[in-house]
Amino acid sequence: MAIPSIMGTEIEYGIMVKNDPDFDPISSCVLLVNAYREDPAGEILWDYDQENPLADARGFQVDGEKYTPNQQENIARNKTLINGARYYVDHAHPEYSSPEVTNPRDLVVHEKAGERVLEISRREATSLLPEGATMLVYKNNSDRKGNSYGSHENYLMDRRTSFKQIVEHLLPFFATRQVYCGAGKVGSENRSHPCDYQISQRADFFETEVALDTMVKRPIINTRDEPHADREKYRRLHVIVGDSNMSEYTIYLRNGVTALVLQMIEDGAIHKDLVLRDPVKAIKQVSHDPSCKLELALDNGKKMSAVQLQKEFLDLALSYTSGRENADWVPDILEKWQDALEALERDPMELSEKIDWVIKKAMIEGFMDRKGLDWQASQVSMLDLQYHDSRPDKGLYFMLERQGRALRIVSDEEITAAIHTPPEDTRAYFRGECLRRYPSQVFGVNWDSISFADGDEPIKRVMMAEPLKGSRVHVEELLDSSPSAEQLMKNLRA
Amino acid sequence: MRIIQDPKRRDSQALPLYQAAESPQKQKSKGGGGGEEGDAKGEGGQKLAKKGEELKEEMDNLVDEIDAVLEENAEEFVKNYVQRGGE
């Protein structure tokens, strides 16, 4: 049965240093993450004990070595923030994992707060570099030379939902949702067909339907089974198929529609045969067709465009939600989803203020037209890259937003507040508040635990297996009556 | 308990550029592209021509603004943007 929505995103950013011939991505990431000084200082470990990235949702454990850095390296690479987020170095990329939220609007606020955390630290890091060198950070997913880095969404699901059902319904959904979630890309890569412009940054990189990998032979459905919560009750769907979006409208729609479709799967509400003959081929076909007209082959012999297929999901969603009590964010998501699909059917360019790939395409085409350039021009590639630049004065997305060419969902005030404030209605509140109130006593953190050190006393770990517990309503009084972490431990035991 | 700085004050110091970005969003006279404005079918040719001009002017302004911020040496810049695979 459908459970209340809990969601979050993990975004890996591209990084480079301009005017530095010795640029090294890993040391630059460490510099970047440690340049962030907005939070009360504290040497806090990321608690790897709680992690198991090798568990597969299909019911087995994969062989492999679990990554556990030494203490010094751990502290240097991991920051847990007072807004409940994790900001860290993942291989050769800086990564920002938002705190857990309960709805797509809060998700927009916190994903956007993440962009600003990156920008604040980028500016600080640049001031530490030799004269003339500038660190740059890009919220995109590819260097257009065959290297991709991810943008992952997480959704908590009811463990009783069979993984087989999830796979069956999500393959066609994920192959086609890019028509309103894609971030747009000039050209193609990874041996896929040449093209001028495509809908998705990532589609070229998907090579298989279902697997545990994320770095090679990427699957449309990732099977990592690491709930970061009570594993008897929950699974965390780790969605790796999406693009890093700049547009608030696109982020909102992406997470809202996906969360709703997952609830429908939990409630067994998808009872149409929408199975694609070849989802891996389809995801690329859809991406390479900005007209959104191309028909995809279904396994039952029918043909349907990506938009038509999404409309089938929408119809199911409309009947699923009618006459039942829905979360308050659902009606607006349904309306915007419907509007987007209808616009895509008429003319995708109608979405030139709403959906990233269309916003970017309209900007590039306007520029090309005025300058007499074609898609192969290096300036056009520069436009593509700079759309994702984190700097408010140089980033082209931010320029368009400033000009009113990209519709907003949330306000700047909400975003700046979220840099220092956790969501109130999930366990992220407890995590963030503990870090804010007891920074020197927090020893280690993971999504579902927080541990405290008190002199020579053994480390005490507080488990948070229920993502909806630890909210402000649950714990504010407890925290207010605990001036120290020792007192908090006593009060918790009382 | 330690004293926490007023986060609002910190923000405004930390993010001057975003604050500037936020100031008066241009109320643009939209020329097309958006579905919601409903480009009425019965509009006269004159009105359309005017719209076309507005659109052209808007696009000129946009291109000027992009020119002002676009990285120089685009070819080399894009060539040097090389990342390691992630995730």
Side-chain angles (χ1 to χ4, degrees):
Chain A
M1 218 181 63
I3 58 168
S5 287
I6 301 275
M7 58 184 90
T9 53
E10 319 157 29
I11 314 282
E12 285 181 355
Y13 288 74
I15 184 168
M16 75 180 286
V17 177
K18 198 168 135 182
N19 301 329
D20 176 9
D22 303 323
F23 166 68
D24 169 63
I26 296 174
S27 53
S28 299
C29 288
V30 173
L31 176 68
L32 177 74
V33 166
N34 286 282
Y36 187 68
R37 298 275 174 202
E38 292 283 299
D39 275 14
E43 298 208 327
I44 296 161
L45 292 167
W46 186 256
D47 190 350
Y48 286 89
D49 280 5
Q50 305 295 309
E51 305 215 323
N52 187 4
L54 301 172
D56 192 296
R58 291 164 294 184
F60 46 84
Q61 182 80 15
V62 175
D63 284 340
E65 203 138 310
K66 217 177 107 174
Y67 171 70
T68 30
N70 68 41
Q71 190 153 329
Q72 203 183 355
E73 194 183 54
N74 184 325
I75 290 168
R77 285 170 186 240
N78 288 287
K79 308 290 160 203
T80 315
L81 310 186
I82 55 172
N83 66 3
R86 180 187 180 199
Y87 179 34
Y88 62 115
V89 179
D90 190 11
H91 305 286
H93 296 274
E95 177 156 343
Y96 187 91
S97 296
S98 78
E100 307 89 328
V101 298
T102 60
N103 62 81
R105 194 175 188 286
D106 287 354
L107 193 278
V108 175
V109 171
H110 279 277
E111 191 174 314
K112 284 279 154 187
E115 293 173 10
R116 297 192 183 195
V117 167
L118 267 286
E119 173 57 13
I120 292 167
S121 32
R122 185 202 67 76
R123 224 178 291 167
E124 290 294 324
T126 291
S127 71
L128 302 170
L129 292 172
E131 188 74 26
T134 311
M135 189 176 283
L136 297 173
V137 160
Y138 295 91
K139 192 188 182 199
N140 65 358
N141 306 105
S142 142
D143 62 3
R144 295 190 43 228
K145 297 167 186 75
N147 302 307
S148 184
Y149 32 101
S151 163
H152 300 174
E153 299 145 57
N154 295 298
Y155 303 89
L156 199 72
M157 291 189 77
D158 184 342
R159 182 117 210 146
R160 286 170 296 180
T161 309
S162 93
F163 198 72
K164 196 167 160 281
Q165 288 291 304
I166 296 175
V167 169
E168 180 185 328
H169 301 311
L170 281 185
L171 279 170
F173 177 71
F174 281 162
T176 53
R177 73 170 189 167
Q178 56 179 304
V179 291
Y180 54 83
C181 310
K185 181 169 80 176
V186 174
S188 67
E189 58 196 321
N190 202 31
R191 297 186 301 276
S192 117
H193 291 295
C195 66
D196 288 336
Y197 185 79
Q198 61 176 308
I199 289 173
S200 159
Q201 291 252 315
R202 297 266 289 162
D204 286 341
F205 294 97
F206 289 93
E207 298 177 22
T208 186
E209 292 180 13
V210 186
L212 185 61
D213 295 308
T214 59
M215 293 180 65
V216 287
K217 234 176 167 296
R218 293 181 176 87
I220 295 174
I221 310 243
N222 179 251
T223 56
R224 183 177 297 177
D225 187 11
E226 204 182 11
H228 295 315
D230 183 346
R231 66 175 299 125
E232 300 293 312
K233 286 168 73 177
Y234 304 116
R235 70 169 77 249
R236 169 181 64 117
L237 191 75
H238 185 232
V239 176
I240 70 165
V241 77
D243 286 358
S244 289
N245 292 111
M246 298 301 296
S247 145
E248 292 180 4
Y249 199 97
T250 311
I251 296 169
Y252 179 68
L253 206 50
R254 176 192 76 197
N255 272 72
V257 172
T258 304
L260 180 58
V261 167
L262 293 177
Q263 290 191 339
M264 291 160 63
I265 294 173
E266 288 172 323
D267 279 334
I270 299 182
H271 36 69
K272 274 185 199 166
D273 175 12
L274 300 170
V275 176
L276 287 166
R277 181 162 298 161
D278 185 347
V280 175
K281 185 176 165 197
I283 198 170
K284 297 180 173 72
Q285 287 178 308
V286 173
S287 184
H288 285 230
D289 172 39
S291 77
C292 299
K293 296 276 184 252
L294 185 97
E295 295 201 315
L296 305 168
L298 269 61
D299 211 30
N300 61 19
K302 286 186 192 158
K303 289 195 155 201
M304 235 182 242
S305 73
V307 180
Q308 284 165 339
L309 213 144
Q310 282 289 322
K311 280 190 135 181
E312 296 286 337
F313 278 101
L314 172 69
D315 285 344
L316 289 165
L318 289 170
S319 49
Y320 168 74
T321 50
S322 71
R324 76 197 300 279
E325 237 177 85
N326 299 298
D328 56 3
W329 53 266
V330 170
D332 190 49
I333 286 290
L334 280 171
E335 196 185 313
K336 288 187 164 61
W337 186 16
Q338 182 156 17
D339 283 351
L341 295 179
E342 284 170 3
L344 285 164
E345 226 164 28
R346 289 189 301 267
D347 175 7
M349 296 316 284
E350 284 184 22
L351 298 172
S352 66
E353 296 176 345
K354 293 177 177 166
I355 304 299
D356 270 321
W357 75 266
V358 192
I359 301 174
K360 188 193 273 180
K361 184 166 182 274
M363 170 189 78
I364 294 177
E365 285 178 340
F367 191 85
M368 283 178 12
D369 187 41
R370 221 36 60 95
K371 299 269 183 179
L373 298 171
D374 62 22
W375 287 100
Q376 279 66 46
S378 45
Q379 275 182 306
V380 168
S381 293
M382 194 64 237
L383 290 175
D384 184 355
L385 179 58
Q386 212 170 326
Y387 181 83
H388 301 271
D389 191 320
S390 72
R391 294 172 293 176
D393 55 336
K394 296 272 190 184
L396 296 180
Y397 170 76
F398 295 115
M399 188 196 77
L400 295 170
E401 191 179 76
R402 209 154 48 230
Q403 294 175 345
R405 291 172 187 272
L407 289 186
R408 306 286 307 260
I409 295 290
V410 300
S411 69
D412 279 307
E413 289 74 17
E414 289 171 284
I415 298 170
T416 40
I419 296 172
H420 303 287
T421 323
E424 292 189 352
D425 53 359
T426 68
R427 64 187 177 190
Y429 179 80
F430 184 71
R431 182 186 312 123
E433 283 296 306
C434 284
L435 288 163
R436 188 173 72 82
R437 292 171 192 242
Y438 324 115
S440 55
Q441 288 155 299
V442 176
F443 176 76
V445 178
N446 196 310
W447 298 110
D448 55 0
S449 71
I450 180 160
S451 49
F452 297 89
D454 174 18
D456 294 334
E457 294 278 301
I459 306 292
K460 293 181 185 70
R461 184 184 272 155
V462 179
M463 298 304 294
M464 300 185 284
E466 283 294 334
L468 282 174
K469 290 190 180 157
S471 67
R472 185 173 186 166
V473 174
H474 286 119
V475 299
E476 191 178 30
E477 213 181 295
L478 168 74
L479 291 166
D480 283 347
S481 63
S482 311
S484 66
E486 300 90 74
Q487 191 61 47
L488 176 70
M489 291 302 110
K490 278 187 196 138
N491 290 344
L492 272 171
R493 257 184 261 125
Chain B
M1 203 159 75
R2 44 178 288 130
I3 297 156
I4 307 293
Q5 275 186 42
D6 175 13
K8 274 203 179 120
R9 249 192 59 226
R10 269 201 295 191
D11 292 346
S12 53
Q13 286 164 353
L15 291 164
L17 284 163
Y18 281 103
Q19 302 292 336
E22 193 190 334
S23 65
Q25 274 226 350
K26 198 181 85 181
Q27 285 300 316
K28 62 201 171 72
S29 52
K30 239 188 59 101
E36 296 160 334
E37 307 253 317
D39 298 305
K41 280 176 193 155
E43 275 178 340
Q46 246 184 346
K47 208 169 174 185
L48 279 174
K50 194 165 168 259
K51 267 196 157 184
E53 257 171 53
E54 276 175 18
L55 195 66
K56 187 179 171 299
E57 201 185 309
E58 250 189 54
M59 197 45 80
D60 286 339
N61 292 341
L62 176 65
V63 171
D64 289 345
E65 290 214 32
I66 293 175
D67 270 334
V69 299
L70 198 66
E71 297 285 354
E72 287 165 14
N73 305 324
E75 190 175 348
E76 207 186 320
F77 196 103
V78 172
K79 198 181 85 201
N80 289 339
Y81 185 73
V82 181
Q83 300 291 305
R84 292 199 199 162
E87 304 168 76

